[in-house]
Amino acid sequence: MRRAWNVLLSARAWCVVAALLVLAWAMAHGLGWRDDTRIISGTGVPSGGAVLRGVAYAVSYFAAVVVAPILVIAAGLRAAGGRVARGWGETGRVGRV
Amino acid sequence: MTIRTEAGRALGAVAALLVATAIWLPCVSFAFRPVLEGYRQRDAIAPQARALAQRHLALWEDEAAREDEVGRMRESNAEWDFMGRTFLVLALANLALREPADEARYLATVDRIVGETLALERERGMYFFLMDYARRAPFLGVPPRSLFLDGEIALMLAARQLVARVPAYDAVLGERLEGVHRAMSEGPVSCAESYPDECWTFCNAVGIAALAMGEALEPRGRGAFIERWLATAKARLTDARTGLLVSSFTYNGRPIDGPEGSTIWLAAHCLALVDPAFARDQYGRAARELGCRLLGFGYAREWPESWRGAMDVDSGPIVPVLGASAGSSGMAVLGAAAFGDDEYLTALLGSLDFAAFPVTEDGRRRYAASNQVGDAVLLYALVQGPLWERARASRVR
C-alpha cells in the first residue's frame, strides 16, 4: 500500500497520467465525438449515447488542456525538488564528516 | 542523512500541484488569446469571419446538410431556425457592403433565405416559427400577430433593400413595417406581443430598428413614434436597480422578467440606430452587470446579481458558481463588437476558441458546441457595422 502510494506521488507517475489524459482526448477526437458537444448549447434532443460522448469529449479535452500540463509541470517541480533535496542531504553528510 | 517522511512526500506533492496550477492556469488563456485582426477588421472581412461565412453559405447551398442542422435546432426551439435566418441575412448584408465584388453571391443567399422564410410563414402560419406555448392563449393585439416574426422579417427585408433595392420587395416591406408600426403603437406601452400577453424587449428593439431602417429607405413620419417608444422604454421598462431594460413584460407593461443577457446585448445594438447615447449607456451597464472575466477568459452572465431568473432556452445552460450563460456570452460578442469594446471582445473570443471547439474544414469554420444560430450571431458580430452606418447616414439625409 505504501509502495503504491509512493508510486502515485512520483513524478514519473504524473507524467504517465498526463500522457494518458492526452491519449484519451486524442481517442475521443479521433472517434469524432467532438460534434456531440452540441449538447452544451442545448441543440437537439440527443440520445443517451450522444450525451455520454459529448460529455466524455468535453471532460477529456479539458483534462488534456488543463490537468495534463499541470501534472507535467508539477512532475518537473518534484523532480527538481528531489535533486535539490538530495544535494542538501549529501552536503549535510559531508559537513558532518 | 536525508530526512524524508511519508507526510513530507505528500505535502511536497500537494505543494508541487498547487504551484503548477498557479503557473499553468493563467497561461491557458494566452494559448487561446486571439489576434483580433484575424476575427474582426474595420474595412475588410477578417479571415475567421470569412471562414464562418463560407460555412453558412455552403449550408444554404446544400439542402440536406441545412435540413439536418435546422432540424436539430427545431427540436430544441423553433425560434432558433428563424433567428438563424435573421442574423445570417444581417451578416450577409454587411458582407455585401464590405465586399461589393461579391455582392451578387451574398444577396442571392439573402433572397433565398427571405423567400423561403416568407413562403414558410405563408404555408405553415406564424406558429411554425414560434414555441408551442404561443398556442396556449390568444394574443391580445388585433389582429393577432407576433412581433418576433414581423419585426425580424421587416429587418431582413429592410437590410436587403438598404444594400441594393429590389422593387419587388417594396410592397412586402411596406406592408410589414406598417404592421409592426400599428401593432407597437396600439400597445399600452408602445410595444407589441411576441407571445400572448408577453412582450420582449429583444423583439421590440428589433421592431424599432426595422422602423428606423424603413425611414432611411422611405420616410413615413414614424420618427415621432420611435421617440415615443424610447421615452416609454426609459420610463416604464427599465429595472430600477440596474438601469437596464427588462427583458419581458406583459402587454400592459408589467415586468415579467428582469434584465437578461440574452436580450440586452442585442437590444442595445438595435437601439444604437435611434438613440446612440442610450444604447451606449445600456451596453455599459450590461458590461458592468453581466460581463465577466476569469483568468483571461471572458464570458457573460444571464442575470445581474440583483436578479435571479430561471435557466431557460434563451439563456442556455448556466455554469454553476460562475453564472456563465452560453446564450448571453454569444450575444455579448455582438455587444462588445458593436460598441468597440475590444478588450472584452478579445476575452470572449478567447473563451469561444477554448471552450466551444472550433472546427475548420475546407476553409469553413463552425463551433461544434454551438449551432447554426449561434454561429450566425458570431458571424454577424464580426462583420456588423456598414449596414448600421448606411441606415444612419440615409436617415440623416
Side-chain angles (χ1 to χ4, degrees):
Chain A
M1 183 72 179
R2 182 177 293 177
R3 187 171 177 185
W5 180 244
N6 287 339
V7 168
L8 272 175
L9 291 182
S10 70
R12 181 173 295 180
W14 287 357
C15 288
V16 169
V17 170
L20 288 174
L21 289 176
V22 174
L23 185 63
W25 170 64
M27 284 175 57
H29 190 81
L31 289 169
W33 291 2
R34 180 175 50 182
D35 280 340
D36 291 308
T37 57
R38 69 170 67 92
I39 57 168
I40 293 173
S41 58
T43 302
V45 181
S47 64
V51 171
L52 282 173
R53 289 192 298 270
V55 169
Y57 185 91
V59 169
S60 65
Y61 168 82
F62 289 118
V65 173
V66 178
V67 177
I70 288 174
L71 289 174
V72 169
I73 294 169
L77 290 171
R78 291 220 65 196
R83 278 195 213 100
V84 168
R86 280 193 293 278
W88 283 340
E90 285 168 7
T91 302
R93 207 176 288 120
V94 168
R96 274 200 287 280
V97 169
Chain B
M1 181 185 293
T2 60
I3 300 173
R4 188 173 286 187
T5 65
E6 294 302 327
R9 278 176 65 85
L11 274 174
V14 170
L17 285 171
L18 287 175
V19 172
T21 302
I23 292 171
W24 181 240
L25 284 189
C27 292
V28 178
S29 68
F30 284 106
F32 290 93
R33 185 177 179 85
V35 175
L36 202 50
E37 282 278 299
Y39 289 77
R40 194 275 320 265
Q41 293 178 11
R42 174 83 179 88
D43 298 313
I45 301 172
Q48 300 293 3
R50 187 180 296 283
L52 278 167
Q54 291 304 320
R55 198 259 170 167
H56 281 287
L57 289 167
L59 265 187
W60 274 89
E61 290 160 5
D62 182 341
E63 193 66 34
R66 190 165 62 82
E67 275 183 18
D68 185 47
E69 183 81 30
V70 169
R72 268 199 298 271
M73 286 199 303
R74 289 188 65 87
E75 283 175 3
S76 300
N77 186 352
E79 292 181 353
W80 288 353
D81 171 14
F82 185 70
M83 290 167 64
R85 297 161 190 264
T86 303
F87 282 107
L88 183 54
V89 164
L90 292 176
L92 292 171
N94 278 281
L95 286 166
L97 290 171
R98 285 175 179 270
E99 211 163 62
D102 279 334
E103 180 185 290
R105 185 186 181 200
Y106 296 131
L107 292 183
T109 304
V110 166
D111 291 337
R112 199 174 305 141
I113 295 171
V114 169
E116 186 189 273
T117 306
L118 290 173
L120 282 169
E121 188 203 24
R122 204 166 41 241
E123 291 158 16
R124 313 269 193 115
M126 71 173 180
Y127 293 97
F128 180 74
F129 288 117
L130 297 177
M131 296 175 72
D132 290 342
Y133 78 96
R135 297 176 191 272
R136 289 186 203 146
F139 282 84
L140 300 181
V142 178
R145 294 293 305 172
S146 168
L147 183 63
F148 168 65
L149 255 68
D150 291 336
E152 290 194 25
I153 288 175
L155 194 67
M156 284 195 270
L157 286 165
R160 201 302 182 201
Q161 297 295 72
L162 268 172
V163 175
R165 198 163 188 154
V166 174
Y169 281 143
D170 281 340
V172 181
L173 173 59
E175 192 181 304
R176 197 67 62 152
L177 285 173
E178 179 56 35
V180 166
H181 178 241
R182 184 178 57 243
M184 291 180 73
S185 60
E186 289 176 359
V189 289
S190 303
C191 292
E193 299 158 286
S194 299
Y195 285 82
D197 198 18
E198 194 174 290
C199 303
W200 285 83
T201 299
F202 184 110
C203 305
N204 280 277
V206 165
I208 288 295
L211 290 174
M213 288 168 73
E215 290 298 289
L217 285 163
E218 189 177 334
R220 292 289 183 99
R222 291 177 179 140
F225 169 72
I226 292 172
E227 293 303 315
R228 190 175 100 216
W229 186 90
L230 286 165
T232 305
K234 291 171 188 175
R236 296 188 59 179
L237 302 177
T238 302
D239 174 61
R241 278 169 291 196
T242 62
L244 285 166
L245 290 166
V246 298
S247 59
S248 67
F249 43 96
T250 65
Y251 194 49
N252 287 316
R254 178 179 60 79
I256 300 174
D257 285 315
E260 289 183 351
S262 51
T263 287
I264 194 60
W265 304 110
L266 184 281
H269 171 60
C270 286
L271 295 179
L273 265 184
V274 296
D275 191 338
F278 179 53
R280 185 161 284 281
D281 173 74
Q282 288 294 295
Y283 174 77
R285 290 174 189 272
R288 277 194 304 276
E289 297 283 346
L290 306 174
C292 302
R293 289 141 187 82
L294 179 65
L295 297 173
F297 290 109
Y299 66 94
R301 301 167 56 89
E302 176 68 345
W303 310 287
E305 285 290 345
S306 56
W307 169 263
R308 286 292 169 178
M311 188 172 77
D312 59 18
V313 72
D314 294 326
S315 69
I318 305 287
V319 176
V321 179
L322 295 179
S325 156
S328 179
S329 298
M331 286 296 182
V333 176
L334 173 57
F339 290 94
D341 191 347
D342 285 359
E343 183 271 327
Y344 187 38
L345 177 62
T346 302
L348 287 167
L349 291 174
S351 297
L352 209 57
D353 282 354
F354 172 59
F357 311 116
V359 180
T360 303
E361 294 164 334
D362 301 324
R364 300 168 189 171
R365 189 173 179 86
R366 64 183 173 89
Y367 289 85
S370 180
N371 50 31
Q372 188 271 331
V373 63
D375 285 356
V377 170
L378 177 61
L379 172 60
Y380 176 54
L382 299 179
V383 300
Q384 56 78 40
L387 183 64
W388 256 217
E389 282 170 20
R390 179 168 283 199
R392 277 194 214 101
S394 301
R395 270 194 87 192
V396 166
R397 277 199 301 276

